[in-house]
Amino acid sequence: MRAFQNLATPCFIIDNQEFQRSIIGFQEALNSRFVRSSVGYSVKTNSLPYCLQMANEKGCFAEVVSADEYELALRCGFVKDRIIYNGPMKSHDTFIDAIINGAIVNLETHREIDWLKDLPNDDIFKVGLRLNVNITKVSPEDADCFDDNSRFGFSDGTDDFHEAIEQLSKLSNIKLSGLHIHRTAHSRSINFYRNSIRFACETINKYDLNLDYLDIGGGYFGIFSDKPTYQQYADSFKDILSEYGLDNLEVIVEPGNALVASCFSFLTEVIDVKHVERDLWFITTDGSRNDIDPFFRKTDYLKELITEGSDVIVGQQIITGCTCLESDRLFTMTQSPLLRIGDRIRYNNVGAYTMCLTPMFIRYLPAVYSWDGEDYRLVRDRWTVIEYLQKSIVL
Ligand SMILES: Cc1ncc(COP(=O)(O)O)c(C=O)c1O
Protein backbone atom coordinates (compact mmCIF):
# COMPACT_ATOMS: atom_id res chain seq x y z
CA MET A 1 0.00 0.00 0.00
CA ARG A 2 1.35 3.43 -0.94
CA ALA A 3 0.37 7.05 -1.14
CA PHE A 4 0.30 8.75 -4.52
CA GLN A 5 3.36 10.90 -3.79
CA ASN A 6 5.39 7.76 -3.00
CA LEU A 7 4.78 6.05 -6.33
CA ALA A 8 8.11 5.51 -8.06
CA THR A 9 8.06 7.01 -11.54
CA PRO A 10 7.72 6.24 -14.35
CA CYS A 11 4.77 3.97 -13.72
CA PHE A 12 1.39 3.00 -15.03
CA ILE A 13 -1.66 3.16 -12.76
CA ILE A 14 -4.78 1.09 -13.35
CA ASP A 15 -8.06 2.23 -11.87
CA ASN A 16 -9.72 -1.05 -10.86
CA GLN A 17 -13.21 0.38 -10.52
CA GLU A 18 -13.11 2.00 -13.93
CA PHE A 19 -11.97 -1.26 -15.54
CA GLN A 20 -14.71 -3.28 -13.84
CA ARG A 21 -17.36 -0.68 -14.60
CA SER A 22 -16.55 -0.97 -18.27
CA ILE A 23 -16.64 -4.79 -18.36
CA ILE A 24 -19.87 -4.99 -16.39
CA GLY A 25 -21.43 -2.19 -18.44
CA PHE A 26 -20.91 -4.11 -21.66
CA GLN A 27 -22.08 -7.42 -20.15
CA GLU A 28 -25.26 -5.87 -18.78
CA ALA A 29 -26.08 -4.14 -22.05
CA LEU A 30 -25.75 -7.40 -23.98
CA ASN A 31 -27.65 -9.39 -21.35
CA SER A 32 -30.53 -6.95 -21.58
CA ARG A 33 -31.02 -7.80 -25.27
CA PHE A 34 -29.77 -11.36 -25.77
CA VAL A 35 -30.36 -14.69 -24.11
CA ARG A 36 -26.78 -15.68 -24.79
CA SER A 37 -23.89 -13.23 -25.01
CA SER A 38 -20.22 -13.05 -24.05
CA VAL A 39 -17.56 -10.40 -23.66
CA GLY A 40 -14.08 -11.50 -24.71
CA TYR A 41 -11.22 -9.42 -23.29
CA SER A 42 -8.87 -8.58 -26.17
CA VAL A 43 -5.56 -9.71 -24.67
CA LYS A 44 -3.45 -8.03 -27.36
CA THR A 45 -4.78 -4.62 -26.33
CA ASN A 46 -3.22 -4.87 -22.88
CA SER A 47 -1.74 -8.19 -21.86
CA LEU A 48 -0.89 -7.21 -18.29
CA PRO A 49 -1.54 -10.40 -16.27
CA TYR A 50 -3.37 -8.38 -13.63
CA CYS A 51 -5.92 -7.28 -16.28
CA LEU A 52 -6.36 -10.83 -17.50
CA GLN A 53 -7.00 -12.06 -13.98
CA MET A 54 -9.55 -9.34 -13.34
CA ALA A 55 -11.27 -9.91 -16.68
CA ASN A 56 -11.48 -13.61 -15.86
CA GLU A 57 -12.92 -12.90 -12.41
CA LYS A 58 -15.54 -10.67 -13.98
CA GLY A 59 -16.68 -13.44 -16.33
CA CYS A 60 -15.00 -12.43 -19.59
CA PHE A 61 -13.54 -14.81 -22.12
CA ALA A 62 -9.91 -14.20 -23.13
CA GLU A 63 -9.63 -13.30 -26.81
CA VAL A 64 -6.14 -14.40 -27.88
CA VAL A 65 -4.33 -14.27 -31.22
CA SER A 66 -1.12 -16.25 -30.82
CA ALA A 67 0.20 -19.36 -29.16
CA ASP A 68 1.95 -17.17 -26.59
CA GLU A 69 -1.26 -15.32 -25.74
CA TYR A 70 -3.08 -18.65 -25.51
CA GLU A 71 -0.57 -19.89 -22.94
CA LEU A 72 -0.63 -16.56 -21.11
CA ALA A 73 -4.41 -16.72 -20.77
CA LEU A 74 -4.18 -20.23 -19.34
CA ARG A 75 -1.49 -19.17 -16.87
CA CYS A 76 -3.65 -16.24 -15.80
CA GLY A 77 -6.44 -18.61 -14.86
CA PHE A 78 -8.72 -18.87 -17.91
CA VAL A 79 -10.01 -22.37 -18.59
CA LYS A 80 -9.78 -23.54 -22.17
CA ASP A 81 -13.47 -23.29 -22.92
CA ARG A 82 -13.38 -19.61 -21.90
CA ILE A 83 -10.89 -18.71 -24.63
CA ILE A 84 -11.58 -17.23 -28.05
CA TYR A 85 -8.71 -18.05 -30.39
CA ASN A 86 -8.33 -15.79 -33.44
CA GLY A 87 -5.71 -14.59 -35.87
CA PRO A 88 -3.11 -16.06 -38.23
CA MET A 89 -0.47 -16.79 -35.57
CA LYS A 90 -1.97 -19.84 -33.92
CA SER A 91 0.43 -22.77 -33.54
CA HIS A 92 -0.70 -26.19 -34.71
CA ASP A 93 -0.60 -27.68 -31.21
CA THR A 94 -2.44 -24.91 -29.42
CA PHE A 95 -4.99 -24.81 -32.25
CA ILE A 96 -5.78 -28.52 -31.84
CA ASP A 97 -5.71 -28.26 -28.04
CA ALA A 98 -8.12 -25.33 -28.08
CA ILE A 99 -10.63 -27.05 -30.37
CA ILE A 100 -10.55 -30.33 -28.47
CA ASN A 101 -11.12 -28.50 -25.20
CA GLY A 102 -14.07 -26.43 -26.34
CA ALA A 103 -12.48 -23.02 -26.96
CA ILE A 104 -14.09 -20.77 -29.55
CA VAL A 105 -11.67 -21.03 -32.47
CA ASN A 106 -12.23 -18.77 -35.45
CA LEU A 107 -10.38 -20.03 -38.52
CA GLU A 108 -8.21 -17.41 -40.20
CA THR A 109 -5.86 -19.24 -42.57
CA HIS A 110 -5.94 -22.03 -45.12
CA ARG A 111 -3.36 -23.94 -43.11
CA GLU A 112 -5.79 -24.08 -40.20
CA ILE A 113 -8.34 -25.75 -42.45
CA ASP A 114 -5.66 -28.35 -43.26
CA TRP A 115 -4.85 -28.78 -39.57
CA LEU A 116 -8.48 -29.79 -38.90
CA LYS A 117 -7.59 -33.15 -40.45
CA ASP A 118 -5.41 -33.83 -37.41
CA LEU A 119 -8.41 -33.87 -35.05
CA PRO A 120 -9.71 -37.24 -33.85
CA ASN A 121 -12.54 -38.74 -35.86
CA ASP A 122 -14.61 -40.02 -32.97
CA ASP A 123 -16.19 -36.72 -31.96
CA ILE A 124 -17.74 -33.57 -33.47
CA PHE A 125 -15.69 -30.38 -33.10
CA LYS A 126 -17.00 -26.85 -33.48
CA VAL A 127 -15.14 -24.07 -35.26
CA GLY A 128 -15.91 -20.57 -36.45
CA LEU A 129 -14.86 -18.84 -39.65
CA ARG A 130 -13.68 -15.27 -39.98
CA LEU A 131 -15.37 -13.40 -42.79
CA ASN A 132 -13.36 -10.76 -44.63
CA VAL A 133 -14.91 -7.29 -44.26
CA ASN A 134 -14.13 -4.46 -46.68
CA ILE A 135 -15.45 -1.37 -44.89
CA THR A 136 -15.73 0.61 -48.13
CA LYS A 137 -18.10 -2.01 -49.50
CA VAL A 138 -19.98 -2.82 -46.31
CA SER A 139 -20.30 0.62 -44.71
CA PRO A 140 -18.84 3.28 -47.05
CA GLU A 141 -19.57 6.17 -44.65
CA ASP A 142 -17.20 4.57 -42.12
CA ALA A 143 -14.37 3.83 -44.53
CA ASP A 144 -10.97 5.37 -43.96
CA CYS A 145 -10.02 5.46 -47.59
CA PHE A 146 -11.16 4.72 -51.10
CA ASP A 147 -10.65 0.96 -50.60
CA ASP A 148 -10.71 0.10 -46.90
CA ASN A 149 -10.03 -3.59 -47.43
CA SER A 150 -8.79 -6.12 -44.91
CA ARG A 151 -6.13 -8.79 -44.88
CA PHE A 152 -8.10 -10.89 -42.41
CA GLY A 153 -10.77 -13.50 -42.87
CA PHE A 154 -12.03 -15.45 -45.87
CA SER A 155 -13.50 -13.26 -48.58
CA ASP A 156 -16.92 -13.69 -50.09
CA GLY A 157 -15.83 -11.25 -52.80
CA THR A 158 -13.79 -14.13 -54.27
CA ASP A 159 -14.28 -17.89 -53.97
CA ASP A 160 -12.31 -18.06 -50.72
CA PHE A 161 -15.20 -18.05 -48.25
CA HIS A 162 -17.31 -20.41 -50.33
CA GLU A 163 -14.43 -22.84 -50.74
CA ALA A 164 -13.69 -22.75 -47.02
CA ILE A 165 -17.29 -23.70 -46.27
CA GLU A 166 -17.13 -26.49 -48.84
CA GLN A 167 -13.94 -27.84 -47.32
CA LEU A 168 -15.42 -27.80 -43.83
CA SER A 169 -18.58 -29.54 -44.99
CA LYS A 170 -16.48 -32.44 -46.26
CA LEU A 171 -15.07 -33.05 -42.78
CA SER A 172 -17.54 -35.26 -40.97
CA ASN A 173 -16.13 -34.41 -37.52
CA ILE A 174 -16.36 -30.62 -37.99
CA LYS A 175 -19.36 -28.37 -37.42
CA LEU A 176 -19.18 -24.75 -38.54
CA SER A 177 -20.74 -23.05 -35.56
CA GLY A 178 -19.86 -19.37 -35.80
CA LEU A 179 -18.96 -16.39 -37.91
CA HIS A 180 -16.41 -13.77 -36.88
CA ILE A 181 -16.43 -10.27 -38.38
CA HIS A 182 -13.96 -8.05 -36.52
CA ARG A 183 -12.97 -4.68 -37.98
CA THR A 184 -12.17 -1.50 -36.07
CA ALA A 185 -13.67 1.41 -37.98
CA HIS A 186 -12.20 4.74 -36.90
CA SER A 187 -15.71 6.13 -36.53
CA ARG A 188 -16.60 3.34 -34.04
CA SER A 189 -20.15 4.26 -35.07
CA ILE A 190 -23.40 2.42 -34.48
CA ASN A 191 -23.97 2.72 -38.22
CA PHE A 192 -20.84 0.64 -38.86
CA TYR A 193 -22.08 -2.19 -36.64
CA ARG A 194 -25.53 -2.13 -38.18
CA ASN A 195 -24.00 -2.45 -41.64
CA SER A 196 -21.41 -5.06 -40.80
CA ILE A 197 -23.93 -7.23 -38.93
CA ARG A 198 -26.27 -6.90 -41.90
CA PHE A 199 -23.44 -8.13 -44.12
CA ALA A 200 -22.85 -11.07 -41.76
CA CYS A 201 -26.57 -11.94 -41.74
CA GLU A 202 -26.76 -11.83 -45.51
CA THR A 203 -23.76 -14.12 -45.77
CA ILE A 204 -25.27 -16.53 -43.22
CA ASN A 205 -28.51 -16.65 -45.20
CA LYS A 206 -26.78 -16.86 -48.57
CA TYR A 207 -25.02 -20.08 -47.53
CA ASP A 208 -27.85 -21.25 -45.32
CA LEU A 209 -25.51 -21.58 -42.36
CA ASN A 210 -26.87 -23.01 -39.14
CA LEU A 211 -24.71 -21.29 -36.52
CA ASP A 212 -24.49 -20.97 -32.74
CA TYR A 213 -22.78 -17.58 -32.54
CA LEU A 214 -21.88 -14.35 -34.26
CA ASP A 215 -18.60 -12.87 -33.03
CA ILE A 216 -18.80 -9.14 -33.79
CA GLY A 217 -15.21 -8.42 -32.70
CA GLY A 218 -14.04 -5.18 -31.13
CA GLY A 219 -13.83 -1.53 -32.12
CA TYR A 220 -16.22 0.15 -29.64
CA PHE A 221 -15.99 3.37 -27.69
CA GLY A 222 -15.59 2.98 -23.95
CA ILE A 223 -17.73 4.95 -21.51
CA PHE A 224 -17.77 8.60 -22.63
CA SER A 225 -20.66 11.00 -22.22
CA ASP A 226 -20.64 12.12 -25.87
CA LYS A 227 -20.16 8.74 -27.56
CA PRO A 228 -22.38 5.73 -28.32
CA THR A 229 -23.09 3.69 -25.21
CA TYR A 230 -22.77 -0.06 -24.76
CA GLN A 231 -26.55 -0.16 -24.61
CA GLN A 232 -26.83 1.57 -27.98
CA TYR A 233 -24.37 -0.88 -29.49
CA ALA A 234 -26.31 -3.84 -28.04
CA ASP A 235 -29.63 -2.40 -29.23
CA SER A 236 -28.32 -2.01 -32.76
CA PHE A 237 -27.03 -5.62 -32.79
CA LYS A 238 -30.47 -6.79 -31.70
CA ASP A 239 -32.31 -4.69 -34.31
CA ILE A 240 -30.38 -6.08 -37.24
CA LEU A 241 -30.19 -9.67 -36.04
CA SER A 242 -33.96 -9.65 -35.42
CA GLU A 243 -34.57 -8.30 -38.93
CA TYR A 244 -32.95 -11.48 -40.24
CA GLY A 245 -34.47 -13.79 -37.65
CA LEU A 246 -30.99 -14.45 -36.23
CA ASP A 247 -31.31 -12.93 -32.76
CA ASN A 248 -31.20 -16.39 -31.24
CA LEU A 249 -27.47 -16.50 -32.02
CA GLU A 250 -25.07 -16.03 -29.13
CA VAL A 251 -23.54 -12.59 -29.56
CA ILE A 252 -19.84 -12.31 -28.77
CA VAL A 253 -17.89 -9.06 -28.58
CA GLU A 254 -14.13 -8.63 -28.23
CA PRO A 255 -13.57 -5.10 -26.93
CA GLY A 256 -10.01 -3.96 -26.38
CA ASN A 257 -9.73 -0.21 -26.45
CA ALA A 258 -13.18 0.25 -24.88
CA LEU A 259 -12.28 -1.71 -21.75
CA VAL A 260 -8.70 -0.68 -21.05
CA ALA A 261 -7.92 2.69 -22.60
CA SER A 262 -9.51 4.89 -19.99
CA CYS A 263 -8.64 2.94 -16.86
CA PHE A 264 -4.87 3.40 -17.29
CA SER A 265 -2.75 6.45 -16.68
CA PHE A 266 1.01 6.94 -16.86
CA LEU A 267 2.88 8.97 -14.27
CA THR A 268 6.20 10.65 -15.03
CA GLU A 269 8.46 13.11 -13.24
CA VAL A 270 10.56 16.02 -14.46
CA ILE A 271 14.24 15.15 -14.15
CA ASP A 272 15.83 18.10 -15.91
CA VAL A 273 15.06 21.61 -17.18
CA LYS A 274 17.17 23.09 -19.99
CA HIS A 275 17.15 26.58 -21.41
CA VAL A 276 18.18 26.11 -25.03
CA GLU A 277 17.27 29.25 -26.93
CA ARG A 278 15.98 32.64 -25.86
CA ASP A 279 12.39 31.47 -25.57
CA LEU A 280 12.78 27.70 -25.70
CA TRP A 281 13.01 25.29 -22.79
CA PHE A 282 13.29 21.53 -22.85
CA ILE A 283 11.77 19.68 -19.92
CA THR A 284 13.14 16.14 -19.63
CA THR A 285 10.92 13.60 -17.90
CA ASP A 286 11.58 10.02 -16.86
CA GLY A 287 8.76 8.65 -19.06
CA SER A 288 9.02 8.22 -22.79
CA ARG A 289 6.91 8.45 -25.86
CA ASN A 290 7.71 4.76 -26.28
CA ASP A 291 5.57 4.06 -23.22
CA ILE A 292 2.37 5.77 -24.34
CA ASP A 293 2.70 6.41 -28.06
CA PRO A 294 4.63 3.45 -29.48
CA PHE A 295 3.82 4.45 -33.07
CA PHE A 296 4.97 8.04 -32.44
CA ARG A 297 1.80 9.43 -34.02
CA LYS A 298 0.15 11.41 -31.25
CA THR A 299 0.60 15.14 -31.05
CA ASP A 300 -0.94 15.68 -27.62
CA TYR A 301 -2.37 13.76 -24.69
CA LEU A 302 -5.06 13.95 -22.04
CA LYS A 303 -2.75 15.08 -19.27
CA GLU A 304 -2.60 16.66 -15.84
CA LEU A 305 0.30 18.63 -14.38
CA ILE A 306 1.05 17.99 -10.73
CA THR A 307 3.24 20.95 -9.83
CA GLU A 308 3.99 23.29 -6.97
CA GLY A 309 3.55 26.11 -9.48
CA SER A 310 6.09 28.67 -10.56
CA ASP A 311 6.11 32.45 -11.08
CA VAL A 312 8.37 32.18 -14.09
CA ILE A 313 6.31 32.26 -17.29
CA VAL A 314 8.18 31.09 -20.38
CA GLY A 315 7.42 31.26 -24.09
CA GLN A 316 7.80 27.64 -25.06
CA GLN A 317 8.45 24.46 -23.09
CA ILE A 318 8.77 21.18 -24.91
CA ILE A 319 8.14 18.19 -22.68
CA THR A 320 10.42 15.34 -23.68
CA GLY A 321 10.98 11.76 -22.70
CA CYS A 322 14.06 10.13 -21.23
CA THR A 323 15.37 8.36 -24.33
CA CYS A 324 18.11 9.60 -26.62
CA LEU A 325 15.73 9.96 -29.56
CA GLU A 326 15.38 13.57 -30.75
CA SER A 327 11.77 12.73 -31.58
CA ASP A 328 10.98 11.66 -28.03
CA ARG A 329 9.01 14.89 -27.53
CA LEU A 330 5.59 14.50 -25.96
CA PHE A 331 3.91 17.88 -26.05
CA THR A 332 4.56 21.62 -26.05
CA MET A 333 3.31 24.33 -23.70
CA THR A 334 3.37 28.01 -24.56
CA GLN A 335 3.30 31.05 -22.28
CA SER A 336 3.07 28.82 -19.22
CA PRO A 337 4.71 28.52 -15.79
CA LEU A 338 8.10 26.84 -16.11
CA LEU A 339 8.06 23.28 -14.83
CA ARG A 340 10.62 22.31 -12.22
CA ILE A 341 12.50 19.15 -11.28
CA GLY A 342 10.18 16.92 -9.26
CA ASP A 343 7.00 18.19 -10.91
CA ARG A 344 4.88 15.36 -12.25
CA ILE A 345 2.86 14.79 -15.40
CA ARG A 346 0.08 12.27 -15.50
CA TYR A 347 -1.13 11.05 -18.90
CA ASN A 348 -4.66 9.66 -18.86
CA ASN A 349 -6.42 7.14 -21.12
CA VAL A 350 -3.26 5.32 -22.11
CA GLY A 351 -4.14 1.66 -21.51
CA ALA A 352 -4.76 0.44 -25.05
CA TYR A 353 -1.98 -0.74 -27.35
CA THR A 354 0.69 0.98 -25.27
CA MET A 355 2.13 -1.29 -22.58
CA CYS A 356 2.12 -4.34 -24.83
CA LEU A 357 3.90 -2.47 -27.64
CA THR A 358 6.60 -0.82 -25.54
CA PRO A 359 10.07 -1.70 -26.82
CA MET A 360 12.94 -2.64 -24.53
CA PHE A 361 14.75 0.56 -25.44
CA ILE A 362 17.23 2.02 -22.96
CA ARG A 363 15.23 1.06 -19.90
CA TYR A 364 12.90 -1.84 -19.39
CA LEU A 365 9.23 -2.15 -18.57
CA PRO A 366 7.93 0.34 -15.99
CA ALA A 367 6.13 -0.61 -12.78
CA VAL A 368 2.33 -0.83 -12.65
CA TYR A 369 0.21 0.09 -9.64
CA SER A 370 -3.47 -0.59 -9.13
CA TRP A 371 -5.75 1.99 -7.52
CA ASP A 372 -8.88 0.76 -5.75
CA GLY A 373 -10.19 4.17 -4.65
CA GLU A 374 -8.21 4.13 -1.39
CA ASP A 375 -4.75 2.69 -1.92
CA TYR A 376 -2.14 2.02 -4.55
CA ARG A 377 -0.75 -1.49 -4.80
CA LEU A 378 2.20 -2.67 -6.89
CA VAL A 379 0.89 -5.20 -9.42
CA ARG A 380 3.96 -5.40 -11.62
CA ASP A 381 7.41 -4.47 -10.43
CA ARG A 382 9.56 -2.64 -12.93
CA TRP A 383 11.70 -4.86 -15.13
CA THR A 384 15.38 -4.58 -14.47
CA VAL A 385 18.41 -5.95 -16.26
CA ILE A 386 17.76 -9.25 -14.46
CA GLU A 387 14.51 -9.80 -16.38
CA TYR A 388 16.13 -8.58 -19.58
CA LEU A 389 18.97 -11.09 -19.27
CA GLN A 390 16.86 -14.05 -18.26
CA LYS A 391 16.88 -15.94 -21.56
CA SER A 392 20.35 -15.00 -22.72
CA ILE A 393 22.45 -18.05 -23.51
CA VAL A 394 25.87 -16.49 -23.94
CA LEU A 395 27.11 -14.04 -21.33
C1 LIG B 1 -9.68 -9.93 -33.71
C2 LIG B 1 -9.70 -8.70 -32.87
N1 LIG B 1 -10.64 -8.57 -31.92
C3 LIG B 1 -10.70 -7.48 -31.12
C4 LIG B 1 -9.78 -6.45 -31.24
C5 LIG B 1 -9.90 -5.27 -30.32
O1 LIG B 1 -10.18 -4.11 -31.05
P1 LIG B 1 -10.48 -2.71 -30.31
O2 LIG B 1 -9.31 -2.41 -29.44
O3 LIG B 1 -10.61 -1.74 -31.44
O4 LIG B 1 -11.73 -2.89 -29.53
C6 LIG B 1 -8.78 -6.54 -32.22
C7 LIG B 1 -7.79 -5.48 -32.39
O5 LIG B 1 -6.95 -5.47 -33.25
C8 LIG B 1 -8.75 -7.70 -33.07
O6 LIG B 1 -7.80 -7.84 -34.01
Side-chain angles (χ1 to χ4, degrees), residues 160-176:
D160 246 20
F161 185 77
H162 186 200
E163 278 169 14
I165 292 179
E166 292 281 291
Q167 284 172 295
L168 298 184
S169 68
K170 289 189 186 125
L171 300 171
S172 57
N173 57 345
I174 298 298
K175 153 121 178 56
L176 177 60

Side-chain angles (χ1 to χ4, degrees), residues 26 40-45 63-65 84 86-87 106 108 130 152 180-185 188 193 215-221 253-260 352-353:
F26 218 152
Y41 175 74
S42 163
V43 170
K44 74 187 84 56
T45 309
E63 187 263 329
V64 302
V65 288
I84 304 166
N86 291 328
N106 292 315
E108 171 65 57
R130 181 156 175 183
F152 298 108
H180 178 216
I181 54 162
H182 167 80
R183 279 303 299 271
T184 295
R188 300 182 187 278
Y193 289 97
D215 182 341
I216 301 168
Y220 316 94
F221 279 113
V253 291
E254 304 168 343
N257 196 74
L259 300 186
V260 279
Y353 307 102

